[in-house]
Amino acid sequence: MKTFFDARQHDHAPAMELHNGAYVPYAEHRGRMENVLATLSQVEAPRDHGIEPIRRVHKDNYLAFLQSAHERWVAAGRNGDAHGYAWPVVGRRPLNLNRIDADLGQFSFDASSPISAGTWTSAYWGAQSALAATEAVLGGERAAFALCRPPGHHCGADYLGGYCFLNNVAISTEAAIAAGKRRIAILDVDYHHGNGTQDIFYDRGDVLFVSVHADPATDYPFFWGHADERGEGAGEGTTLNLPLPRGSGLEAYRAALDTGLAAIRDFGADMLCVSFGADTFAGDPISQFALQTADYTPIARSIADLDLPTVIVMEGGYAVDALGANVAAFLAGFD
Ligand code: Q9C
Ligand code: ZN
């Protein structure tokens, strides 16, 4: 399968993250990509599609913030990586306070996504990888894979979070619509709910968002991904959340997935965008499902059986030593 990755996606390099009350080494590190790249042949660098396809998803004030945040952090006399510590939960007024700490709160929803010097560059080129995979599929490939890093499904039009800065799967989706596709299904099979993707398309009738994930009653991102979130306005009924309990293995996973696949068939999509996270793996250090490496092939095969042109974008997966094997097993389901 055609696979896209740009070496500049390694530039994003936060040192530490806040995890259960302590600072620990950042889980979403470049070694993940190195492990995957070692298992894949024929990886291509994306061409530069520019900023316009990113602007179809993200607000200009957020993009300006993301591009300048680390420089402003350094200019404020700070060391290390930028992250917020105060959040405007009582309504986010469109204030422009021009204070880096205020803007970090304005444009994020958690403290698990520090911004390093290379974050913008990596996020930009990760989005370009998603656009290149989309272009390949629009050009007739049956499926293509974007090895996105940083991941994207937690961030929204104007906020970052959950290791995510630009929503790659949303950027792919909007690019496909701009190129003439009419109804897109997004299937999110990361361990965590794709709250940013859901938010971006919540009121859209032309984009179906289906997610199988750990129940947010027990797992991050807590506030989104509950089964009663079904979309609104023109998007009423085009969001389908299928939460599963911790400990779920292949049998429970397949039952939920089959429900999601049936919804995608009913929707009549003309293209599929998959947010693939391998943090559903039994050995994942921050997640609690029980899938084995060999399980990813039949899971992917049942997705491939939808028989839709398919863009696959990388999301999470933190069992680094097994990540390449898990990705390869998933991609094998499309052969
Ligand atoms: N103590 C993705 O898989 N950290 N993001 C949770 C738990 C955030 C995961 C901290 C996990 C985000 C793309
Ligand atoms: Zn995840």
Side-chain angles (χ1 to χ4, degrees), residues 188-191 212-213 244 248-258 277 280 289 291 299:
D188 189 318
V189 291
D190 185 274
Y191 176 81
V212 180
H213 52 268
L244 289 171
S248 292
L250 184 61
E251 200 181 338
Y253 199 89
R254 288 211 71 136
L257 182 65
D258 286 348
T280 49
F289 281 173
L291 297 182
I299 286 172

Side-chain angles (χ1 to χ4, degrees), residues 17 19-20 112 151 153-154 162-164 190 192 220 279 286 316 318:
E17 64 176 300
H19 177 74
N20 297 348
S112 72
H153 73 152
H154 292 302
Y163 312 149
C164 301
D190 185 274
H192 305 95
Y220 183 93
D279 42 10
I286 67 167
Y318 309 99

Side-chain angles (χ1 to χ4, degrees), residues 202 204 207-209 230-240 263 267:
Y202 206 58
R204 288 275 292 271
V207 178
L208 174 68
F209 175 72
R230 301 293 315 269
E232 67 184 14
E236 184 81 49
T238 63
T239 291
L240 177 60
F267 182 69

Side-chain angles (χ1 to χ4, degrees), residues 59-77:
K59 294 186 183 170
D60 286 342
N61 62 347
Y62 173 67
L63 294 172
F65 158 77
L66 200 55
Q67 286 175 66
S68 63
H70 192 264
E71 275 171 34
R72 292 172 61 202
W73 180 258
V74 171

Side-chain angles (χ1 to χ4, degrees), residues 50-67 92 107 109 120 123-124 126-128 130-131 150-161 164-172 174-175 195-197 199-201 204:
I51 195 78
E52 288 308 314
I54 297 172
R55 293 182 66 223
R56 291 200 179 95
V57 170
H58 292 285
K59 294 186 183 170
D60 286 342
N61 62 347
Y62 173 67
L63 294 172
F65 158 77
L66 200 55
Q67 286 175 66
R92 274 197 309 155
F107 295 115
F109 73 89
W120 168 255
Y124 180 87
Q128 298 304 329
L131 288 163
H153 73 152
H154 292 302
C155 66
D158 68 344
Y159 54 86
L160 61 87
C164 301
F165 302 88
L166 294 178
N167 194 309
N168 303 304
V169 80
I171 290 166
S172 284
E174 289 289 19
N195 60 289
T197 311
D199 188 17
I200 289 164
F201 297 112
R204 288 275 292 271

Side-chain angles (χ1 to χ4, degrees), residues 6-273:
D6 190 287
R8 284 165 281 194
Q9 293 174 235
H10 289 316
D11 292 2
H12 172 60
M16 309 294 275
E17 64 176 300
L18 187 59
H19 177 74
N20 297 348
Y23 276 93
V24 300
Y26 194 60
E28 199 288 287
H29 59 79
R30 65 177 285 162
R32 299 176 60 239
M33 299 298 102
E34 286 163 354
N35 190 276
V36 176
L37 289 166
T39 69
L40 299 178
S41 51
Q42 319 178 301
V43 177
E44 296 173 45
R47 76 174 178 89
D48 190 353
H49 292 74
I51 195 78
E52 288 308 314
I54 297 172
R55 293 182 66 223
R56 291 200 179 95
V57 170
H58 292 285
K59 294 186 183 170
D60 286 342
N61 62 347
Y62 173 67
L63 294 172
F65 158 77
L66 200 55
Q67 286 175 66
S68 63
H70 192 264
E71 275 171 34
R72 292 172 61 202
W73 180 258
V74 171
R78 308 291 175 66
N79 294 313
D81 305 316
H83 72 76
Y85 65 91
W87 284 273
V89 294
V90 189
R92 274 197 309 155
R93 294 168 59 198
L95 294 171
N96 182 0
L97 298 169
N98 199 25
R99 301 288 304 178
I100 183 62
D101 297 294
D103 288 354
L104 284 161
Q106 182 80 20
F107 295 115
S108 68
F109 73 89
D110 72 11
S112 72
S113 316
I115 299 170
S116 76
T119 297
W120 168 255
T121 297
S122 290
Y124 180 87
W125 286 101
Q128 298 304 329
S129 290
L131 288 163
T134 309
E135 184 173 52
V137 169
L138 292 170
E141 292 287 326
R142 185 253 177 285
F145 179 48
L147 183 51
C148 291
R149 174 182 187 265
H153 73 152
H154 292 302
C155 66
D158 68 344
Y159 54 86
L160 61 87
Y163 312 149
C164 301
F165 302 88
L166 294 178
N167 194 309
N168 303 304
V169 80
I171 290 166
S172 284
T173 298
E174 289 289 19
I177 290 170
K181 294 290 181 184
R182 306 180 86 93
R183 285 170 84 75
I184 311 265
I186 300 173
L187 175 63
D188 189 318
V189 291
D190 185 274
Y191 176 81
H192 305 95
H193 177 248
N195 60 289
T197 311
Q198 171 174 300
D199 188 17
I200 289 164
F201 297 112
Y202 206 58
D203 62 358
R204 288 275 292 271
D206 57 339
V207 178
L208 174 68
F209 175 72
V210 175
S211 182
V212 180
H213 52 268
D215 190 342
T218 57
D219 279 77
Y220 183 93
F222 304 113
F223 308 107
W224 309 280
H226 302 271
D228 63 353
E229 296 160 28
R230 301 293 315 269
E232 67 184 14
E236 184 81 49
T238 63
T239 291
L240 177 60
N241 285 311
L242 300 162
L244 289 171
R246 287 186 171 192
S248 292
L250 184 61
E251 200 181 338
Y253 199 89
R254 288 211 71 136
L257 182 65
D258 286 348
T259 301
L261 295 173
I264 292 170
R265 284 194 179 88
D266 289 349
F267 182 69
D270 53 9
M271 181 157 166
L272 176 68
C273 295

